[in-house]
Amino acid sequence: MEVTKAVIPAAGFGTRFLPVTKAQPKEMMPVLDKPTIQYVVEEAIAAGIEDILIITGRGKQAIERHFDKSYELEEALEAAGKTDRLNRVEEIADLGDIHYVRQKEREGLGDAVRYAEKHVGENPFALLLGDTIIESDTPCTQTLIEHAEAHDVSTLSLERVPWAQVSSYGVADADIDDDTDLTDESFPVSDFIEKPAREDAPSNLAITGRYIFTAEIFDALDATEKGVGGELQLTDAIRKLTDIRGVELTGDRYDIGTIPSWLRANIEMSLQYDDGEMNAAVEEFLQERFR
Ligand code: G1P
């Protein structure tokens, strides 16, 4: 298989962020000076993917505007000699070939992914959740693509999370001990459970929000009934795939879906921001605050 397309679902309500998400999409929440979804698009591009489909919905127009050209702004920045900011703004409109499709009813992640079928056809594709940033030396999507292409099967990025958190994730059932070193190797997964109670979780290997799928996923979604929360769950369709592998995530994952995790993303990423000013200012503030 050769993966040349990416799909980014960005159609949810962002309920956990209300009221800030009342009129703006959760995926536009800023982390430092970029909206979250820009990091996700950049990850796909860094993995060599140029063809990107974003699944939007009502109230998500800000996403399309963000990736569009902004002539008036660019002229104003140029006239003011603000070259650095101008370059940053111009770069955005050059990020790949971005397409959009609107999900009509908000019926869950699985339903959103169904809207990609016309665009991706029979091709395999990468699915990147629009509210999750992954920072790693090799882009997570690139690592996944390499593993998926090596075995020619759908492959998911998984991360060991604290057991107390398993009920927030889709969780893998894989024949692996807690201390097995999974680095560099993909491994077969026999089943998944979406948001299990801790006592029902087959492992603490959680789905991180990065997936490579063969087109088989669309038939699986068609054959799936609504699940947890009355929504069509992608994880329930994944269970129907004949062959599926996992790869352990290396790198830092920031799910910006809750206020504490979004704040953490901003603080941690500002400490790593290499401009010589922001990281120093944030570090100084934290040291003062917790002295
Ligand atoms: C979704 C998926 C879940 C996955 C999680 C990762 O859940 O349904 O399987 O583990 O993303 O963030 P959500 O966070 O949208 O509830």
Side-chain angles (χ1 to χ4, degrees), residues 117-169:
E117 184 170 7
K118 269 209 180 112
H119 186 82
V120 301
E122 289 300 309
N123 298 293
F125 62 100
L127 182 77
L128 294 79
L129 299 192
D131 61 0
T132 299
I133 297 174
I134 297 183
E135 296 266 287
S136 50
D137 293 339
T138 305
C140 175
T141 297
Q142 186 181 326
T143 307
L144 270 188
I145 290 175
E146 285 162 11
H147 285 291
E149 289 181 349
H151 289 271
D152 214 19
V153 291
S154 294
T155 305
L156 271 61
S157 164
L158 301 172
E159 183 181 41
R160 285 192 168 112
V161 297
W163 280 92
Q165 293 174 16
V166 288
S167 62
S168 301
Y169 294 95

Side-chain angles (χ1 to χ4, degrees), residues 16 109 129 132 169-170 194-195 207-209 211 233 235 255:
R16 284 170 287 192
L109 178 58
L129 299 192
T132 299
Y169 294 95
E194 181 68 9
K195 307 211 167 75
I207 299 175
T208 66
Y211 318 71
Q233 295 291 345
T235 305
D255 169 2

